[in-house]
Structures are given as C-alpha cells and as structure tokens.
Amino acid sequence: DGGWATYENNRGWPWYEMLNPACVFGHIMIDYSYVECSSSAMQALVSFQKHFPEHRVSEIRSAVERGADFIEAMQREDGSWYGCWGNCFTYGCWFGIEGLVCAGRGESAAVRRCKTFLLKKQNMDGGWGEDFASCFNREYSSPPALYGCEGSSTVVCTAWALLGLMGGACTDIDAVKRGIDFLMSKQLPSGDWAQENIS
C-alpha cells in the first residue's frame, strides 16, 4: 500500500482480528501501515538522502512518493488523519502534514484540508484538546473539560497541532500565536508542564 508498519509488513489476514484477546485494543493481531510510521520513515529517508545524495536515489524517491500516496489515501473526508500511536486526530494530522511536506507536497490540497481541520478544532483559549474517546470512537472528541485539565485544551494536543500547522506553513498567524500563548501560559516555574489528560 506504500506505507510503513511498526515492525514488519502485513503477513496475515483480517480474520485474525477475531482471535484478538484484548477487550480494549482493536486491530492488533496483524501489523498495518500507519500514517505516523510512514511519515517518520519518509522523513528519515529524505534526511538520509540529504547526507548521501548519490545513494539509491531512485529507490528512495520511489519509496517517498509511494508513502505520500499512502498518506493522501488515508486522509479522512474532514481533512484529518486518524493517529494510532497517540491521541488521536491532532497527532495523526501532525504526522500526515509532515510526511507530505517532506515529499514535496506541502502545497497540496490534502495539507490545506488538514490545516483547515485543525484550525476549526482550536478552542477559545487558543489550545487544542482531545479526549481518549477519539481513539476508540474514531471521531474527534473534545468535551468541555478533560480529566486533569482546567478546560478542554491540553499542552500535548496543542503542541501537536502547532507542529502540524507550522510544518504546513499555516498563514493564520493569529491562530498559531494563540496556540503558542496557551502553551506559554501553562508552563510551570520549573520550565516543565503539568501532567494532564492521556495523550
């Protein structure tokens, strides 16, 4: 499919999922290609190619192009990407944008749609926040208050959203600034940030 999995290519069949002993985690019996793993592998290949520009040029170019095609194919109608290794859509959006940018598709319709998705999810306080329910419901969930937080924004989701928006060269500077201001307002005197809702 052009994407990368966590540790091996898909070597099984979907019916293996019927043998899944876990009540909480679905789709774990075989390995699948993920937006996050694909984006990370693509970024590593592009970085490698900058240091070794003559090494396996056509293979790397082809792998990155196929990875970008996979990422675009995985984009949801609302412009988001489902993140499997973090909570959930803000995380997936960050990796989806970064993967397409490294493949030279930073101006693509897919990146523009994802930036629009993220901007629509920004909270009034300037931050972003997502409940763990997004993971198992596969729909963006941001209740009025998240566990361990003062409201519906979290430091981690805000950082992921900002990384995606800035990586995709977002032109809504005010939205980015409000997100940064939110992060700065949550920083502790020690320089750290408090532990919040699961990310």
Side-chain angles (χ1 to χ4, degrees):
D1 61 10
W4 280 263
T6 53
Y7 57 92
E8 67 178 354
N9 291 327
N10 185 334
R11 297 179 190 193
W13 293 272
W15 65 263
Y16 285 7
E17 297 298 347
M18 292 189 304
L19 304 174
N20 183 353
C23 296
V24 177
F25 302 106
H27 305 289
I28 62 169
M29 296 301 289
I30 56 177
D31 211 359
Y32 300 91
S33 294
Y34 299 99
V35 169
E36 304 99 300
C37 296
S38 301
S39 175
S40 297
M42 292 161 60
Q43 291 176 65
L45 287 170
V46 168
S47 179
F48 174 87
Q49 195 168 48
K50 287 177 184 172
H51 295 286
F52 302 96
E54 305 301 321
H55 187 75
R56 300 175 80 167
V57 176
S58 62
E59 292 170 272
I60 291 173
R61 185 180 305 119
S62 174
V64 170
E65 281 299 309
R66 290 184 66 229
D69 290 344
F70 166 78
I71 289 174
E72 286 186 345
M74 295 301 293
Q75 190 174 36
R76 295 162 56 105
E77 281 189 34
D78 63 6
S80 69
W81 280 281
Y82 179 82
C84 295
W85 298 102
N87 187 18
C88 175
F89 292 98
T90 45
Y91 182 75
C93 286
W94 167 38
F95 279 96
I97 289 173
E98 292 283 4
L100 293 179
V101 168
C102 86
R105 300 186 189 182
E107 299 295 322
S108 68
V111 170
R112 287 193 306 273
R113 288 195 350 255
C114 187
K115 289 187 291 187
T116 298
F117 170 86
L118 287 171
L119 291 170
K120 286 181 179 176
K121 300 301 181 185
Q122 188 172 27
N123 294 324
M124 293 300 294
D125 61 9
W128 283 261
E130 197 172 348
D131 188 59
F132 186 70
S134 293
C135 295
F136 50 83
N137 291 334
R138 294 185 176 259
E139 294 293 331
Y140 190 91
S141 175
S142 183
L146 293 167
Y147 178 78
C149 303
E150 294 174 10
S152 59
S153 295
T154 68
V155 168
V156 173
C157 283
T158 300
W160 288 337
L162 288 170
L163 286 167
L165 289 170
M166 291 186 292
C170 178
T171 58
D172 189 340
I173 303 303
D174 182 59
V176 172
K177 184 181 182 314
R178 290 190 317 114
I180 292 169
D181 288 344
F182 173 82
L183 290 181
M184 292 172 62
S185 75
K186 296 297 178 183
Q187 191 172 26
L188 302 173
S190 67
D192 199 359
W193 282 267
Q195 177 69 42
E196 296 178 323
N197 193 46
I198 188 168
S199 298

